[in-house]
Structures are given as C-alpha cells and as structure tokens.
Amino acid sequence: MKLKDDRKVELIYQAALKLVARKGLAGITMGDISREAGIATGTLYVYFTGKDELINALFACSRANSVQVAFRGYDASQPFKPGFRTVWMNILRYKLQHFEEVVFVEQCFHSPYITAETREKARELAAPFFELIERGQQEQLVKQADTSLLLTFIMGALNELVKQTHYSNETLSKRKIDLTFNLCWDALKA
C-alpha cells in the first residue's frame, strides 16, 4: 500500500480552492483538480474516493484552520471588547489572506456536497465563537439575541468587507477597518 504524502494533499487542496474560485463548486471535476495540482488523476483517487469526499475533507480542514487562527492571541482573562476585537481582526486578516478559501467555504456552506457528519464537525469547531459571544452576553455587553444570529451577522459583515476589498482591488485602510469594527460592535453591544 502506498503511503499518502501530506504535500500532495496540500497540492490537491490548493488546486481545488483555485478551481472553485474560478469555476464554482459544481463546475469542477476530479480531472480538473488533478491537472491543476500537477498529479495523475489515478493518484488523486489514492487520496480521495471522489469529489464529494475531497470537498468534505477540504471544508473541514478550512474550518479548522480558520478557527485556530481566529483565537491566536486571544486571552479570556482580558476585558471582553479587546478580546473580541482580537478575534475579529484575526478573522479579517485570515479571510483577506485566504480569499479562495473564503469563496470555497461560502459555496460549500449551503451546498449538497457537505454531509451531515461534516456539518456537525463544523458546528463543533465553531464552539469557541459561541462561547465568546455567550461570554459577552453573560457580561451584559452583547445583545441577548440568538447566538447563531449574532455570529451570522458578524461573519456576514466580515465576508462582505473582504469580498468588496478583493473585487475592488483596493487596499483596506486602517480607518475603514476601524469603522467596520465599530459598526459591528455598535450593532452587537447591549
């Protein structure tokens, strides 16, 4: 049995991300992915049994990476708002630097490709975000609204800012970042 090479998995993931950003999730095939990755289609099938398995694995990996990065430098012992800003800024930076992943995750989120098992794993990975918002609610700093709704608002605002920045080819200024954070904070605060 041939051992799997982590570098090839990364090549496959990067190829899939590029293709999804260019052609859309439904528009890509395993052949497209293998060509983009520079590997034989047969080799691709050594790593993934099909497109559905690859998409689910990449989605789970993308979600795990983004959560890990989001909480870098976050200290639960610091006051809520600066901690929230740390997480918010980490998410913004990650999304700006990994735009193809943003497009991929957004397309996957509501697609039939993602299995119930992968969706459950994504929900489990999102637990730190729920805990963060619930902490703000317990400290009476964040509105007492459905946590999922508040997170949808936050992520939606971030996604739109990133897309606007990417597609306009503009540099995101500190002023615009601060303004967007303050708008988000003002909408969330109790």
Side-chain angles (χ1 to χ4, degrees), residues 56-73:
N56 277 274
L58 179 53
F59 180 78
C61 180
S62 296
R63 295 287 291 185
N65 289 342
S66 65
V67 172
Q68 181 183 27
V69 170
F71 284 86
R72 277 192 192 142

Side-chain angles (χ1 to χ4, degrees), residues 13 31 59 114 143 156 164 186:
Y13 284 172
F59 180 78
I114 303 304
K143 285 180 174 60
Q164 180 187 65
D186 288 348

Side-chain angles (χ1 to χ4, degrees), residues 7 11 13 24 29 35 40 53 62-63 78 101 117 161 163 170 179:
R7 291 173 299 176
L11 281 173
Y13 284 172
T29 66
R35 278 188 294 283
E53 182 185 5
S62 296
R63 295 287 291 185
Q78 74 181 131
E101 197 171 299
E117 182 181 322
L161 177 62
K163 286 190 286 189
E170 292 179 9
L179 176 60

Side-chain angles (χ1 to χ4, degrees), residues 2-183:
K2 192 174 183 179
L3 291 176
K4 293 182 179 179
D5 180 351
D6 289 342
R7 291 173 299 176
K8 279 199 179 129
V9 171
E10 186 59 31
L11 281 173
I12 293 165
Y13 284 172
Q14 290 308 313
L17 289 172
K18 284 180 188 171
L19 288 166
V20 169
R22 226 177 12 226
K23 298 170 80 173
L25 194 55
I28 63 171
T29 66
M30 291 294 273
D32 293 335
I33 295 166
S34 66
R35 278 188 294 283
E36 184 73 30
I39 61 173
T41 303
T43 302
L44 180 56
Y45 282 102
V46 168
Y47 290 86
F48 301 98
T49 59
K51 179 178 164 180
D52 289 3
E53 182 185 5
L54 189 159
I55 297 301
N56 277 274
L58 179 53
F59 180 78
C61 180
S62 296
R63 295 287 291 185
N65 289 342
S66 65
V67 172
Q68 181 183 27
V69 170
F71 284 86
R72 277 192 192 142
Y74 172 73
D75 180 358
S77 67
Q78 74 181 131
F80 179 79
K81 186 177 177 182
F84 174 75
R85 184 177 173 90
T86 296
V87 173
W88 191 91
M89 288 296 298
N90 286 344
I91 295 168
L92 176 61
R93 275 191 294 276
Y94 187 84
K95 288 179 178 291
L96 287 168
Q97 293 168 358
H98 299 91
F99 185 74
E100 290 172 341
E101 197 171 299
V102 170
V103 171
F104 172 78
V105 168
E106 192 171 88
Q107 286 191 30
C108 285
F109 211 80
H110 302 290
S111 82
Y113 291 102
I114 303 304
T115 65
E117 182 181 322
T118 302
R119 287 186 197 286
E120 181 57 33
K121 186 175 183 177
R123 271 191 289 281
E124 290 168 10
L125 287 168
F129 294 112
F130 282 85
E131 291 165 8
L132 177 67
I133 297 303
E134 288 163 2
R135 174 189 164 199
Q137 290 172 325
Q138 288 167 359
E139 294 179 17
Q140 299 181 352
L141 297 170
V142 172
K143 285 180 174 60
Q144 296 297 320
D146 178 69
T147 307
S148 292
L149 180 61
L150 295 175
L151 287 168
T152 297
F153 173 80
I154 295 164
M155 295 304 175
L158 283 163
N159 282 342
E160 288 305 313
L161 177 62
V162 168
K163 286 190 286 189
Q164 180 187 65
T165 301
H166 180 81
Y167 291 125
S168 69
N169 286 323
E170 292 179 9
T171 302
L172 191 55
S173 68
K174 181 178 178 346
R175 183 180 166 282
K176 192 169 187 176
I177 291 169
D178 290 342
L179 176 60
T180 306
F181 174 79
N182 288 330
L183 287 168

